[in-house]
Short mmCIF file of all heavy atoms in Angstrom, two decimals:
data_model
loop_
_atom_site.label_atom_id
_atom_site.label_comp_id
_atom_site.label_asym_id
_atom_site.label_seq_id
_atom_site.Cartn_x
_atom_site.Cartn_y
_atom_site.Cartn_z
N MET D 18 -23.49 -55.71 45.62
CA MET D 18 -24.41 -56.72 46.13
C MET D 18 -24.14 -58.09 45.46
O MET D 18 -23.97 -58.14 44.25
CB MET D 18 -25.90 -56.32 45.80
CG MET D 18 -26.84 -56.99 46.68
SD MET D 18 -28.62 -56.51 46.38
CE MET D 18 -28.56 -54.81 46.74
N ASP D 19 -23.95 -59.14 46.31
CA ASP D 19 -23.66 -60.48 45.67
C ASP D 19 -24.96 -61.10 45.21
O ASP D 19 -26.07 -60.68 45.51
CB ASP D 19 -22.84 -61.37 46.59
CG ASP D 19 -23.54 -61.76 47.85
OD1 ASP D 19 -24.83 -61.70 47.89
OD2 ASP D 19 -22.83 -62.09 48.77
N LYS D 20 -24.76 -62.26 44.61
CA LYS D 20 -25.88 -62.90 44.03
C LYS D 20 -26.93 -63.39 45.01
O LYS D 20 -28.18 -63.27 44.74
CB LYS D 20 -25.44 -64.24 43.20
CG LYS D 20 -24.61 -63.78 41.95
CD LYS D 20 -24.08 -65.00 41.17
CE LYS D 20 -23.50 -64.56 39.89
NZ LYS D 20 -23.06 -65.77 39.16
N LYS D 21 -26.48 -63.77 46.12
CA LYS D 21 -27.45 -64.28 47.16
C LYS D 21 -28.32 -63.09 47.69
O LYS D 21 -29.48 -63.16 47.84
CB LYS D 21 -26.70 -64.91 48.32
CG LYS D 21 -27.71 -65.51 49.31
CD LYS D 21 -26.95 -66.12 50.56
CE LYS D 21 -27.99 -66.67 51.49
NZ LYS D 21 -29.13 -65.71 51.88
N GLU D 22 -27.61 -61.95 47.83
CA GLU D 22 -28.35 -60.70 48.24
C GLU D 22 -29.43 -60.24 47.16
O GLU D 22 -30.45 -59.82 47.58
CB GLU D 22 -27.44 -59.55 48.52
CG GLU D 22 -26.71 -59.66 49.89
CD GLU D 22 -25.65 -58.55 50.02
OE1 GLU D 22 -24.67 -58.56 49.27
OE2 GLU D 22 -25.85 -57.67 50.88
N ILE D 23 -28.96 -60.36 45.96
CA ILE D 23 -29.94 -60.01 44.87
C ILE D 23 -31.15 -60.87 44.90
O ILE D 23 -32.30 -60.45 44.85
CB ILE D 23 -29.27 -60.08 43.48
CG1 ILE D 23 -28.18 -59.01 43.40
CG2 ILE D 23 -30.27 -59.95 42.35
CD1 ILE D 23 -27.30 -59.05 42.19
N LEU D 24 -30.91 -62.24 45.05
CA LEU D 24 -32.06 -63.17 45.08
C LEU D 24 -32.91 -62.93 46.32
O LEU D 24 -34.17 -63.00 46.28
CB LEU D 24 -31.50 -64.63 45.12
CG LEU D 24 -30.90 -65.04 43.72
CD1 LEU D 24 -30.34 -66.45 43.88
CD2 LEU D 24 -31.98 -65.05 42.64
N ASP D 25 -32.30 -62.59 47.46
CA ASP D 25 -33.09 -62.25 48.69
C ASP D 25 -33.97 -61.13 48.59
O ASP D 25 -35.17 -61.12 48.94
CB ASP D 25 -32.12 -62.13 49.95
CG ASP D 25 -31.57 -63.46 50.44
OD1 ASP D 25 -32.11 -64.49 50.06
OD2 ASP D 25 -30.62 -63.42 51.28
N THR D 27 -35.00 -59.80 45.78
CA THR D 27 -36.04 -60.07 44.81
C THR D 27 -37.18 -60.87 45.36
O THR D 27 -38.38 -60.54 45.30
CB THR D 27 -35.46 -60.89 43.65
OG1 THR D 27 -34.28 -60.15 43.14
CG2 THR D 27 -36.46 -61.06 42.52
N VAL D 51 -39.89 -71.08 41.24
CA VAL D 51 -38.46 -70.97 41.54
C VAL D 51 -37.82 -72.28 41.88
O VAL D 51 -36.82 -72.65 41.38
CB VAL D 51 -38.22 -69.88 42.67
CG1 VAL D 51 -36.73 -69.87 43.07
CG2 VAL D 51 -38.63 -68.49 42.13
N ALA D 54 -37.78 -74.50 38.85
CA ALA D 54 -36.80 -74.11 37.88
C ALA D 54 -35.31 -74.41 38.44
O ALA D 54 -34.54 -74.83 37.53
CB ALA D 54 -37.00 -72.54 37.60
N ALA D 55 -35.11 -74.23 39.65
CA ALA D 55 -33.78 -74.62 40.12
C ALA D 55 -33.46 -76.08 40.09
O ALA D 55 -32.36 -76.44 39.67
CB ALA D 55 -33.74 -74.10 41.67
N ALA D 58 -32.82 -76.69 36.42
CA ALA D 58 -31.48 -76.09 36.06
C ALA D 58 -30.31 -76.92 36.49
O ALA D 58 -29.35 -77.12 35.72
CB ALA D 58 -31.47 -74.74 36.67
N GLU D 59 -30.45 -77.57 37.63
CA GLU D 59 -29.29 -78.42 38.11
C GLU D 59 -29.24 -79.66 37.21
O GLU D 59 -28.13 -80.07 36.79
CB GLU D 59 -29.52 -78.84 39.58
CG GLU D 59 -29.07 -77.71 40.43
CD GLU D 59 -29.03 -78.00 41.90
OE1 GLU D 59 -29.14 -79.17 42.31
OE2 GLU D 59 -29.02 -76.95 42.71
N ALA D 63 -27.78 -75.64 33.72
CA ALA D 63 -27.92 -74.30 33.30
C ALA D 63 -27.43 -73.38 34.39
O ALA D 63 -27.19 -73.83 35.46
CB ALA D 63 -29.39 -73.97 33.01
N ASP D 64 -27.42 -72.03 34.07
CA ASP D 64 -26.96 -71.15 35.06
C ASP D 64 -28.04 -70.80 36.05
O ASP D 64 -29.00 -70.25 35.82
CB ASP D 64 -26.60 -69.74 34.31
CG ASP D 64 -26.07 -68.74 35.32
OD1 ASP D 64 -24.88 -68.87 35.68
OD2 ASP D 64 -26.82 -67.81 35.70
N LEU D 65 -27.66 -71.27 37.32
CA LEU D 65 -28.67 -71.34 38.42
C LEU D 65 -29.17 -69.88 38.82
O LEU D 65 -30.32 -69.63 39.11
CB LEU D 65 -28.10 -72.08 39.58
CG LEU D 65 -29.02 -72.51 40.69
CD1 LEU D 65 -30.21 -73.25 40.15
CD2 LEU D 65 -28.29 -73.31 41.79
N PHE D 66 -28.24 -69.04 38.92
CA PHE D 66 -28.51 -67.65 39.34
C PHE D 66 -29.48 -67.02 38.37
O PHE D 66 -30.50 -66.45 38.77
CB PHE D 66 -27.28 -66.79 39.52
CG PHE D 66 -27.53 -65.33 39.72
CD1 PHE D 66 -28.09 -64.85 40.92
CD2 PHE D 66 -27.31 -64.43 38.79
CE1 PHE D 66 -28.36 -63.53 41.19
CE2 PHE D 66 -27.60 -63.10 38.93
CZ PHE D 66 -28.16 -62.64 40.13
N THR D 67 -29.10 -67.02 37.09
CA THR D 67 -30.04 -66.38 36.11
C THR D 67 -31.40 -67.05 36.05
O THR D 67 -32.42 -66.31 36.00
CB THR D 67 -29.38 -66.44 34.69
OG1 THR D 67 -28.05 -66.04 34.81
CG2 THR D 67 -30.11 -65.65 33.69
N VAL D 68 -31.46 -68.40 36.16
CA VAL D 68 -32.69 -69.06 36.18
C VAL D 68 -33.56 -68.68 37.40
O VAL D 68 -34.74 -68.36 37.25
CB VAL D 68 -32.44 -70.61 36.12
CG1 VAL D 68 -33.79 -71.39 36.48
CG2 VAL D 68 -31.98 -71.08 34.82
N GLU D 69 -33.00 -68.63 38.56
CA GLU D 69 -33.67 -68.35 39.78
C GLU D 69 -34.17 -66.90 39.71
O GLU D 69 -35.37 -66.59 40.05
CB GLU D 69 -32.89 -68.52 41.05
CG GLU D 69 -32.78 -69.96 41.39
CD GLU D 69 -32.19 -70.21 42.82
OE1 GLU D 69 -32.56 -69.36 43.71
OE2 GLU D 69 -31.50 -71.14 42.95
N LEU D 70 -33.38 -65.98 39.28
CA LEU D 70 -33.78 -64.58 39.22
C LEU D 70 -34.97 -64.36 38.24
O LEU D 70 -35.98 -63.72 38.59
CB LEU D 70 -32.55 -63.68 38.80
CG LEU D 70 -32.77 -62.18 38.96
CD1 LEU D 70 -33.18 -61.77 40.36
CD2 LEU D 70 -31.43 -61.44 38.55
N ALA D 71 -34.87 -64.96 37.07
CA ALA D 71 -35.87 -64.89 36.08
C ALA D 71 -37.18 -65.50 36.61
O ALA D 71 -38.34 -65.02 36.41
CB ALA D 71 -35.50 -65.49 34.72
N ALA D 72 -37.05 -66.66 37.27
CA ALA D 72 -38.25 -67.37 37.81
C ALA D 72 -38.92 -66.51 38.84
O ALA D 72 -40.12 -66.35 38.85
CB ALA D 72 -37.79 -68.69 38.41
N TRP D 73 -38.16 -65.84 39.72
CA TRP D 73 -38.80 -65.02 40.73
C TRP D 73 -39.64 -63.85 40.04
O TRP D 73 -40.64 -63.40 40.44
CB TRP D 73 -37.76 -64.32 41.63
CG TRP D 73 -37.32 -65.17 42.83
CD1 TRP D 73 -36.04 -65.60 43.03
CD2 TRP D 73 -38.09 -65.68 43.89
NE1 TRP D 73 -36.09 -66.36 44.18
CE2 TRP D 73 -37.28 -66.43 44.73
CE3 TRP D 73 -39.51 -65.58 44.19
CZ2 TRP D 73 -37.77 -67.06 45.91
CZ3 TRP D 73 -40.01 -66.17 45.36
CH2 TRP D 73 -39.13 -66.92 46.14
N LEU D 74 -39.09 -63.41 38.85
CA LEU D 74 -39.69 -62.19 38.28
C LEU D 74 -40.60 -62.54 37.07
O LEU D 74 -41.24 -61.59 36.54
CB LEU D 74 -38.49 -61.30 37.72
CG LEU D 74 -37.67 -60.71 38.82
CD1 LEU D 74 -36.35 -60.10 38.28
CD2 LEU D 74 -38.39 -59.63 39.61
N LEU D 97 -34.87 -53.99 39.34
CA LEU D 97 -33.44 -54.45 39.35
C LEU D 97 -32.40 -53.32 39.39
O LEU D 97 -31.41 -53.37 40.03
CB LEU D 97 -33.16 -55.43 38.24
CG LEU D 97 -33.86 -56.79 38.30
CD1 LEU D 97 -33.54 -57.60 37.06
CD2 LEU D 97 -33.48 -57.59 39.54
N ILE D 100 -31.84 -51.92 42.77
CA ILE D 100 -30.91 -52.65 43.68
C ILE D 100 -29.54 -52.88 43.01
O ILE D 100 -28.76 -53.79 43.37
CB ILE D 100 -31.48 -54.05 44.24
CG1 ILE D 100 -31.80 -55.00 43.09
CG2 ILE D 100 -32.66 -53.84 45.11
CD1 ILE D 100 -32.15 -56.38 43.55
N VAL D 102 -28.50 -53.86 40.04
CA VAL D 102 -28.00 -54.95 39.13
C VAL D 102 -27.58 -54.35 37.86
O VAL D 102 -28.20 -53.42 37.35
CB VAL D 102 -29.25 -55.89 38.93
CG1 VAL D 102 -28.99 -56.97 37.87
CG2 VAL D 102 -29.70 -56.55 40.22
N PRO D 103 -26.48 -54.83 37.33
CA PRO D 103 -25.93 -54.34 36.12
C PRO D 103 -26.88 -54.37 34.93
O PRO D 103 -27.56 -55.32 34.80
CB PRO D 103 -24.63 -55.14 35.82
CG PRO D 103 -24.38 -55.83 37.07
CD PRO D 103 -25.61 -55.94 37.85
N ALA D 106 -27.10 -57.62 32.96
CA ALA D 106 -27.92 -58.69 33.60
C ALA D 106 -29.40 -58.42 33.54
O ALA D 106 -30.23 -59.35 33.32
CB ALA D 106 -27.43 -58.84 35.01
N ILE D 107 -29.78 -57.17 33.62
CA ILE D 107 -31.15 -56.71 33.55
C ILE D 107 -31.77 -57.08 32.19
O ILE D 107 -32.85 -57.65 32.08
CB ILE D 107 -31.38 -55.24 33.83
CG1 ILE D 107 -31.02 -54.90 35.30
CG2 ILE D 107 -32.86 -54.77 33.55
CD1 ILE D 107 -31.09 -53.45 35.62
N SER D 109 -30.69 -59.36 30.16
CA SER D 109 -30.91 -60.82 29.90
C SER D 109 -32.11 -61.34 30.71
O SER D 109 -32.88 -62.21 30.20
CB SER D 109 -29.57 -61.53 30.24
OG SER D 109 -29.67 -62.19 31.48
N VAL D 110 -32.41 -60.83 31.88
CA VAL D 110 -33.52 -61.27 32.68
C VAL D 110 -34.87 -60.82 31.88
O VAL D 110 -35.80 -61.65 31.85
CB VAL D 110 -33.60 -60.78 34.12
CG1 VAL D 110 -34.84 -60.98 34.81
CG2 VAL D 110 -32.42 -61.48 34.83
N ILE D 113 -35.52 -63.09 29.00
CA ILE D 113 -35.95 -64.44 29.36
C ILE D 113 -37.51 -64.27 29.79
O ILE D 113 -38.25 -65.12 29.24
CB ILE D 113 -35.12 -64.95 30.57
CG1 ILE D 113 -33.68 -65.19 30.17
CG2 ILE D 113 -35.82 -66.17 31.19
CD1 ILE D 113 -32.76 -65.49 31.30
N GLU D 129 -32.07 -70.87 29.72
CA GLU D 129 -32.70 -70.28 30.88
C GLU D 129 -34.22 -70.04 30.75
O GLU D 129 -35.00 -70.37 31.56
CB GLU D 129 -31.98 -69.04 31.40
CG GLU D 129 -30.62 -69.22 31.94
CD GLU D 129 -29.59 -69.54 30.91
OE1 GLU D 129 -29.82 -69.18 29.74
OE2 GLU D 129 -28.50 -70.14 31.25
N VAL D 133 -37.42 -71.80 32.78
CA VAL D 133 -38.43 -71.05 33.55
C VAL D 133 -39.80 -71.32 32.92
O VAL D 133 -40.79 -71.58 33.60
CB VAL D 133 -38.06 -69.54 33.57
CG1 VAL D 133 -39.19 -68.73 34.27
CG2 VAL D 133 -36.75 -69.38 34.27
#
Side-chain angles (χ1 to χ4, degrees):
M18 200 176 300
D19 66 19
K20 288 179 175 178
K21 187 179 176 316
E22 279 175 295
I23 291 171
L24 290 173
D25 282 348
T27 305
V51 172
E59 281 188 15
D64 182 73
L65 193 56
F66 170 72
T67 310
V68 165
E69 282 194 36
L70 188 57
W73 276 119
L74 295 165
L97 289 177
I100 58 168
V102 172
I107 296 176
S109 101
V110 169
I113 292 169
E129 289 76 22
V133 177

